[in-house]
Amino acid sequence: MRTQAKADGMLVIVTLFWGSSYLFMKMGLTALQEFNLIALRFGIAFLLAGLIFYRRMLQSDWKTIRSALVLGTILFGVFASVTFGVKMTTTANAGFLVSLTVIIVPILSSIVGRKIPEGKVIVGVILAIVGIGLMTVTSSLAIGTGDMLCIVTAVCYALHILTTGALTKHVDSIALGVWQLGVTAAIALAFSFCVETPQLPSTPASWTAVMALSILCSGVGFIVQTTAQKFTTPTHTGLIFSLEPIFAALFAILFLGETLTLRSYVGAATVLAGVLVAELDWAKMLRKRKRGASVECG
């Protein structure tokens, strides 16, 4: 239990880093263009992780490299959509909308497996849709471009999670994780050269944003997540990760001065409720409660 508590604590710290990533993206985008920021973020993370795990990387076979090309391409889709999305919506909205990944994963799994989603997933989806509507739909019944891109991010991230699960079974997962960072950086750099003017950060704030995104949110975040998940349960992991949008909103309010309307608060709470409903094992919780009640009666 003590080991699991430590693992859960590590995952809370990772979730805190990921919640702060929306703030750092906002900061970085004041001085850097979108693809440029992604290339720097993942390029630095790749170099640092590569220095630590260079022996594993030297032993990588073609299967690992091929898998990294697939995952890195999907990961680029994740961060391209979220980086542009964050620029066009609030940090708080971005955090809550990207958290829809937790609901989209079981939906995609059901589609691939050709089976009806669990009842709790269906309820979670309904709550999430209502919450999204409250948070994003304007008086003209349209969803903002930034909000839509963040929803696309959630879909891409869910696809990345499922693909990772399929591709890591027969390769070195750490080497694969490092190589995918490099692939993402390379694709972003190519796009940056095509449509932007790549440059290094020019202000202390932009350097802080890039290094925080590279070291804390990408490098440390992915490595600690992989390590900690070996010592805790999927349920604990999912519930801890559901804190990400709350941290994102908190950072936005404290450091960016963002404010939420009452409707946005209700929408955010509804989205979070949908995530929790889909994530919790309600049947197991009811069984534990009944066993506890039986013991007390006995």
Side-chain angles (χ1 to χ4, degrees):
M1 289 298 292
R2 186 174 297 175
T3 301
Q4 184 174 357
K6 289 181 179 178
D8 288 346
M10 291 167 67
L11 289 175
V12 170
I13 293 172
V14 168
T15 307
L16 178 67
F17 288 161
W18 287 345
S20 70
S21 67
Y22 302 95
L23 167 66
F24 290 124
M25 278 190 278
K26 283 276 191 184
M27 289 172 56
L29 289 170
T30 59
L32 297 167
Q33 292 176 287
E34 292 82 4
F35 294 122
N36 192 175
L37 178 61
I38 298 170
L40 285 170
R41 170 180 182 169
F42 284 93
I44 293 172
F46 171 69
L47 291 174
L48 293 176
L51 288 173
I52 298 172
F53 299 110
Y54 71 93
R55 290 182 180 175
R56 288 175 178 263
M57 296 177 69
L58 291 175
Q59 296 172 356
S60 298
D61 55 13
W62 169 240
K63 190 173 185 179
T64 302
I65 301 299
R66 186 176 57 197
S67 298
L69 290 171
V70 174
L71 289 180
T73 301
I74 300 173
L75 196 62
F76 170 75
V78 171
F79 284 93
S81 55
V82 75
T83 303
F84 280 93
V86 163
K87 191 172 184 178
M88 292 182 278
T89 189
T90 65
T91 303
N93 267 25
F96 280 100
L97 293 174
V98 173
S99 72
L100 293 172
T101 299
V102 175
I103 292 175
I104 295 171
V105 167
I107 292 176
L108 291 181
S109 296
S110 298
I111 292 173
V112 172
R114 296 183 180 181
K115 61 181 181 181
I116 299 174
E118 294 180 78
K120 64 177 185 177
V121 174
I122 295 173
V123 174
V125 169
I126 294 171
L127 287 171
I129 291 172
V130 172
I132 290 171
L134 289 170
M135 290 178 67
T136 65
V137 176
T138 63
S139 56
S140 60
L141 299 180
I143 296 179
T145 303
D147 293 325
M148 183 58 71
L149 283 170
C150 289
I151 295 173
V152 171
T153 299
V155 175
C156 290
Y157 196 23
L159 182 61
H160 181 268
I161 290 171
L162 293 175
T163 308
T164 299
L167 295 179
T168 54
K169 293 178 181 178
H170 305 293
V171 299
D172 184 338
S173 58
I174 292 181
L176 173 60
V178 178
W179 280 118
Q180 77 167 339
L181 297 177
V183 172
T184 303
I187 296 173
L189 187 60
F191 269 86
S192 185
F193 271 112
C194 289
V195 299
E196 301 172 346
T197 304
Q199 62 181 25
L200 291 173
S202 57
T203 64
S206 57
W207 267 114
T208 299
V210 168
M211 297 309 293
L213 288 169
S214 302
I215 298 172
L216 300 180
C217 304
S218 298
V220 174
F222 284 117
I223 293 171
V224 171
Q225 177 200 1
T226 304
T227 304
Q229 279 194 245
K230 294 180 181 179
F231 303 101
T232 190
T233 65
T235 301
H236 277 218
T237 302
L239 290 173
I240 291 169
F241 284 172
S242 69
L243 295 172
E244 181 180 331
I246 297 175
F247 286 137
L250 198 60
F251 280 114
I253 292 169
L254 292 176
F255 297 103
L256 296 177
E258 290 186 5
T259 56
L260 295 177
T261 63
L262 177 59
R263 177 176 160 177
S264 294
Y265 275 117
V266 173
T270 307
V271 169
L272 187 59
V275 170
L276 292 175
V277 166
E279 186 64 33
L280 286 171
D281 189 338
W282 296 99
K284 186 176 180 180
M285 291 172 63
L286 286 172
R287 286 196 299 269
K288 282 186 177 180
R289 189 171 181 179
K290 286 180 180 178
R291 282 200 299 267
S294 299
V295 170
E296 288 180 6
C297 291

